[in-house]
Amino acid sequence: MAFCAVWNYRVPLVIATVACLANTARSQAVQAENVTVLEGGTAQISCRLQNYDGSIVVIQNPRRQTLFFNGTRALKDDRFQMVLFTQRLVRITLTNVSVSDEGGYFCQLYTDATHHQVATLSVSVPPETPTVEVKQEAVEGGEVELSCVSPRSKPAATLHWMRNGREIPGVVSQQDNGKTFSVSNTIRIPVERKDNGAALSCEAIHPALGGQKRVRHYRLDVYYAPVVRIIPPPGILREGDSLSLTCSVNGNPLPRNIQWSKINDTLPERAEISGPTFQISRLSQSHNGTYLCQAQNNYGRAADHYTLLVYDPGAVVETHSAVPYAVIGGVLALLVFTVICVLIVTIWCSVRQKGSYLTHEASGLDEHGEVQEAFLNGNDASQGKKEYLL
């Protein structure tokens, strides 16, 4: 205890001593500081003392179990360590903090009157990288349902679905697990074949991440029926040539088995099949016919055909243009129409020119008659001519 001088000798010593002790007790105080720490981190719990005179200092956990008594360990929990004990500051540390350590830690100063303050320990739990759950698989022409899940955080994390830099609105649900929260964000989007492989991402935002994000990337896996196309050989096939066909197959999932067959007949003995490749060596006209390539998966079946026509070695074959017949027909029709228009214009111009010639010819005959008549009439004609000229 601190000593107090008697300032008035007339006051009895006992009364002065009691007054001094009371004043000393009232002058002592303790202050506690709240602290927030990340789960798994280390918390520092501090008790600040004012006018400390050596009184008893006790630190208790939220369950009111004494951790330290005047600097001496009272609870056997090695995670708690006394790191500082002075007349102004008492500090302990708690390592590997968990949410179960949250609560008020009591700083108590025992004098004639007990003083205590509570240091509140808050534990923040940042979310892990969220997971993506496929609620409904993506099938061409349908919808896919995806859920982004953050199973544990404190406070609750905020989840966003993103595609090409734009947010996809979803349905957010939150569940209280006592000390922590689980959050999910579920979206439903229509999908087509072109969406297969499209990139999505789910972002988790939390105050404990300091402006950073936990991101889970996901690519759409859209299932669709196969597409089959036979790639034909170039040019004309003659007897003795070799045939090689390739069956190009696309689908999700990709069909494992490709089937080759010949319509209304069996495959030739010399036919060789290796996956998507179909070959026949030393062709003959007996190989003519329509060949079929088929493939299927769980979402559909598709086929394409190729008609083989083998010519004699000496046959003269007119090659066909690759230009579609519709285009050729259109060009021919345009040419015929142009010729007809030219003929019509030519005939019209010819008729007009002939009519003009006849008109001028008739006009010339009239003038010739007048001159002849004037010549026969002599002077009268001359007079008439003058009158005509006047």
Side-chain angles (χ1 to χ4, degrees):
M1 303 292 289
F3 293 97
C4 180
V6 178
W7 54 272
N8 192 340
Y9 66 92
R10 297 179 180 177
V11 180
L13 182 60
V14 175
I15 296 175
T17 302
V18 172
C20 180
L21 289 175
N23 182 63
T24 302
R26 284 193 300 270
S27 64
Q28 294 187 91
V30 61
Q31 293 179 342
E33 299 177 354
N34 297 333
V35 61
T36 299
V37 65
L38 295 180
E39 185 179 43
T42 299
Q44 291 186 348
I45 301 173
S46 300
C47 303
R48 297 190 180 276
L49 305 176
Q50 293 180 356
N51 301 321
Y52 178 65
D53 63 355
S55 300
I56 297 173
V57 177
V58 175
I59 300 179
Q60 295 179 327
N61 64 16
R63 293 179 290 277
R64 301 307 297 265
Q65 296 172 321
T66 299
L67 300 175
F68 292 94
F69 184 91
N70 258 12
T72 303
R73 180 187 299 277
L75 184 67
K76 293 182 178 181
D77 188 342
D78 292 336
R79 295 185 305 147
F80 291 96
Q81 296 292 331
M82 176 68 69
V83 295
L84 189 64
F85 194 115
T86 67
Q87 291 187 345
R88 293 187 176 183
L89 179 64
V90 177
R91 176 174 292 165
I92 66 173
T93 59
L94 170 60
T95 58
N96 194 22
V97 177
S98 68
V99 291
S100 60
D101 297 320
E102 277 192 328
Y105 287 77
F106 294 84
C107 297
Q108 297 188 128
L109 178 62
Y110 287 94
T111 60
D112 294 339
T114 302
H115 303 272
H116 77 271
Q117 289 288 328
V118 178
T120 301
L121 173 63
S122 300
V123 179
S124 181
V125 182
E128 297 293 332
T129 301
T131 59
V132 175
E133 299 177 358
V134 181
K135 299 295 185 180
Q136 180 178 332
E137 65 181 15
V139 180
E140 181 182 19
E143 287 186 331
V144 61
E145 182 175 351
L146 303 173
S147 287
C148 177
V149 180
S150 175
R152 187 171 181 271
S153 60
K154 180 179 180 295
T158 301
L159 302 179
H160 297 286
W161 277 104
M162 305 297 292
R163 181 177 183 179
N164 297 328
R166 296 182 178 181
E167 183 176 359
I168 304 174
V171 178
V172 179
S173 61
Q174 178 177 307
Q175 182 177 349
D176 188 348
N177 299 325
K179 291 284 188 178
T180 61
F181 299 89
S182 61
V183 185
S184 67
N185 187 337
T186 303
I187 59 173
R188 291 179 64 92
I189 54 176
V191 290
E192 298 295 338
R193 183 174 308 192
K194 61 182 178 63
D195 296 317
N196 188 42
L200 305 179
S201 63
C202 178
E203 301 177 350
I205 302 174
H206 193 270
L209 297 178
Q212 297 183 350
K213 301 175 182 179
R214 298 279 170 86
V215 182
R216 173 68 66 183
H217 298 282
Y218 179 80
R219 288 194 175 274
L220 286 176
D221 191 14
V222 181
Y223 299 108
Y224 54 91
V227 176
V228 175
R229 185 175 69 90
I230 295 178
I231 302 175
I236 295 171
L237 296 174
R238 301 177 185 273
E239 289 187 343
D241 292 343
S242 296
L243 170 68
S244 179
L245 300 177
T246 300
C247 188
S248 175
V249 179
N250 183 24
N252 190 24
L254 189 66
R256 295 182 178 180
N257 297 322
I258 297 176
Q259 298 178 350
W260 286 95
S261 62
K262 186 177 182 181
I263 296 178
N264 299 327
D265 200 353
T266 58
L267 290 175
E269 294 181 358
R270 289 200 296 269
E272 297 181 1
I273 300 175
S274 177
T277 304
F278 177 84
Q279 294 179 332
I280 302 177
S281 60
R282 300 190 307 276
L283 287 172
S284 66
Q285 292 187 356
S286 63
H287 296 141
N288 288 344
T290 301
Y291 293 84
L292 197 67
C293 174
Q294 300 180 79
Q296 72 176 59
N297 59 16
N298 296 334
Y299 301 92
R301 186 184 186 92
D304 193 16
H305 67 276
Y306 169 77
T307 300
L308 173 64
L309 185 58
V310 180
Y311 293 92
D312 293 332
V316 177
V317 182
E318 182 180 354
T319 58
H320 296 280
S321 173
V323 180
Y325 291 108
V327 176
I328 296 176
V331 173
L332 291 176
L334 180 61
L335 289 175
V336 171
F337 177 76
T338 304
V339 170
I340 292 173
C341 290
V342 171
L343 289 175
I344 292 174
V345 172
T346 302
I347 294 172
W348 182 77
C349 290
S350 177
V351 170
R352 285 203 59 185
Q353 184 177 4
K354 185 176 181 181
S356 176
Y357 172 77
L358 292 175
T359 302
H360 287 293
E361 185 179 9
S363 176
L365 288 175
D366 291 339
E367 293 178 358
H368 179 71
E370 290 178 358
V371 172
Q372 185 176 5
E373 183 179 358
F375 178 76
L376 293 175
N377 292 332
N379 294 331
D380 294 336
S382 175
Q383 185 67 27
K385 185 177 179 180
K386 289 181 180 180
E387 292 177 355
Y388 174 78
L389 292 175
L390 291 173

